[in-house]
Amino acid sequence: SFECRSIFVTMYCDTRSTITLIFVDVDGVLNVAVADPGKSSLSLDPKNVMIALKKMRKKSTCDSARRISATYFHDLDHGEIGPIGMFSNHDSVGICNEFARRLAGLMRIAGKCTVVLSSSWRVPRHDSRVRRLEDMVSLHFGAPFTFSDRTAFAPEHGPGDRLALIGDYMAGFCARRRVHHLRALVLDDFFVTPMGGWKCDGLEMDSVWSAERYLMGRVPAPTTAEVCILHTYEEFVTPGGLIVQIGAGLTSRHLCKGLKFFNALCPHCVRCSREEITEVSVGEKTPETRCPPQSRRFSFTQTFQSFSASCLEVAERGFASRDG
């Protein structure tokens, strides 16, 4: 796994005149969500995984079970060894602990920042779950953490509404205070939705860059802005031809993009680089970065065995959907 405190390699960046916002979605970002067409998305948690695997063994399966099973065994990339199933949501609140750790790492690299909850979890009925999430992030961050703010409590009928609310927040934030330069990092799967085929404020969002450009356009002059969206959506096709759409969470590939936005390198990029990275700031040196030992990496077998026994007793209760 990635240790947020020790192996992110940071390069020099002057942030004295910059204000940083981090917008955090939860479902599909801090956990893994599987789209179930026509229904609420399914959480990749031990209960749902065990139900799916039992149905697959009995050959009395359905597309929902096929999608969960395929997601569970889907291979990761960018230096992570094993399937995405090792990020199953073990916590009762529905959060992957490793993804919470990585969020804390991004916050630490960003420095002083305003962390805004933009998820559907921002509504009051999820307050207890949000407090549990804040406790998890605090543990990894090494200091008490609470979300600085939340986007507006307005209805969301799709990804365009989510993006517009983030844009509204950025515009209002800059209007309320004097901001020279704004950095905004957005972590969102946009309701397990690919880019393309939807609009925001009448503009076609056909790529991540289109969405980033829209948000930069919401920042009033004379403030300058740079925006990075970690769109955690992924899609693949099973050997049987079934299309699977997931909110993959804060995997290594998405984490890497976020770290680069803050002028840092992820552990995989460090390992792959043939150059020794020793200079972290002007006039300061640090020893050569070392890779985490093999024993610290996730093991699919260990992960599966650790939760399978505890899930069998609830495997007959039916699939549990996420709230959105």
Side-chain angles (χ1 to χ4, degrees):
S1 65
F2 293 135
E3 288 290 343
C4 294
R5 293 190 180 188
S6 59
I7 61 176
F8 292 150
V9 180
T10 311
M11 296 178 287
Y12 179 73
C13 180
D14 183 2
T15 59
R16 289 172 296 180
S17 59
T18 298
I19 290 181
T20 301
L21 299 178
I22 300 179
F23 294 91
V24 180
D25 183 21
V26 177
D27 292 317
V29 173
L30 299 182
N31 58 33
V32 180
V34 184
D36 196 21
K39 305 175 184 178
S40 297
S41 298
L42 298 168
S43 172
L44 191 73
D45 58 33
K47 175 183 173 181
N48 283 345
V49 170
M50 293 307 299
I51 293 171
L53 294 180
K54 288 184 69 173
K55 287 181 177 291
M56 296 293 286
R57 286 197 298 268
K58 293 179 179 179
K59 297 184 179 180
S60 59
T61 188
C62 59
D63 284 347
S64 297
R66 292 190 184 96
R67 288 188 174 94
I68 289 178
S69 179
T71 300
Y72 188 77
F73 292 108
H74 185 61
D75 285 334
L76 292 161
D77 57 11
H78 203 74
E80 291 188 298
I81 300 173
I84 202 168
M86 65 188 187
F87 293 130
S88 296
N89 312 325
H90 292 214
D91 189 86
S92 59
V93 76
I95 298 296
C96 172
N97 185 60
E98 177 62 18
F99 291 161
R101 184 202 306 268
R102 294 178 183 188
L103 173 61
L106 283 171
M107 290 162 47
R108 184 175 293 106
I109 292 295
K112 185 178 180 180
C113 58
T114 298
V115 185
V116 182
L117 184 63
S118 54
S119 166
S120 58
W121 284 34
R122 69 189 185 279
V123 299
R125 66 190 176 94
H126 291 303
D127 281 350
S128 61
R129 301 173 77 188
V130 172
R131 286 193 293 271
R132 180 72 178 275
L133 169 59
E134 291 171 335
D135 290 342
M136 292 176 67
V137 176
S138 297
L139 180 65
H140 298 302
F141 190 61
F145 164 77
T146 57
F147 286 99
S148 306
D149 206 350
R150 306 182 184 198
T151 51
F153 296 155
E156 293 176 311
H157 303 291
D161 294 332
R162 170 65 56 81
L163 188 64
L165 287 174
I166 294 173
D168 291 345
Y169 187 94
M170 291 173 59
F173 183 89
C174 293
R176 291 191 302 270
R177 62 181 69 190
R178 183 179 301 175
V179 180
H180 173 68
H181 182 71
L182 181 71
R183 291 190 307 182
L185 178 67
V186 179
L187 287 64
D188 212 304
D189 71 337
F190 294 111
F191 302 101
V192 199
T193 305
M195 303 306 296
W198 55 276
K199 296 182 178 181
C200 180
D201 286 345
L203 301 174
E204 185 72 28
M205 297 294 116
D206 56 4
S207 66
V208 171
W209 166 238
S210 297
E212 292 172 341
R213 186 170 51 189
Y214 164 79
L215 291 178
M216 286 188 284
R218 294 297 308 274
V219 175
T223 302
T224 58
E226 53 184 321
V227 175
C228 176
I229 295 177
L230 305 187
H231 185 213
T232 58
Y233 171 88
E234 293 187 21
E235 179 179 316
F236 61 93
V237 181
T238 67
L242 183 67
I243 298 175
V244 181
Q245 299 171 304
I246 63 174
L250 203 52
T251 59
S252 175
R253 179 159 53 85
H254 300 297
L255 176 67
C256 179
K257 182 180 177 182
L259 289 170
K260 287 180 179 177
F261 182 63
F262 293 133
N263 298 304
L265 295 176
C266 77
H268 176 65
C269 291
V270 173
R271 290 194 294 268
C272 291
S273 176
R274 295 185 178 181
E275 300 178 1
E276 292 186 358
I277 303 175
T278 57
E279 187 166 313
V280 294
S281 64
V282 177
E284 294 182 4
K285 299 289 183 178
T286 187
E288 181 180 354
T289 301
R290 295 183 179 180
C291 304
Q294 182 71 27
S295 61
R296 298 290 294 278
R297 295 181 182 176
F298 279 105
S299 165
F300 165 67
T301 302
Q302 293 173 351
T303 303
F304 181 83
Q305 292 175 344
S306 68
F307 69 75
S308 59
S310 63
C311 299
L312 284 171
E313 61 187 46
V314 295
E316 302 295 342
R317 298 180 185 174
F319 291 117
S321 298
R322 71 169 189 166
D323 291 316

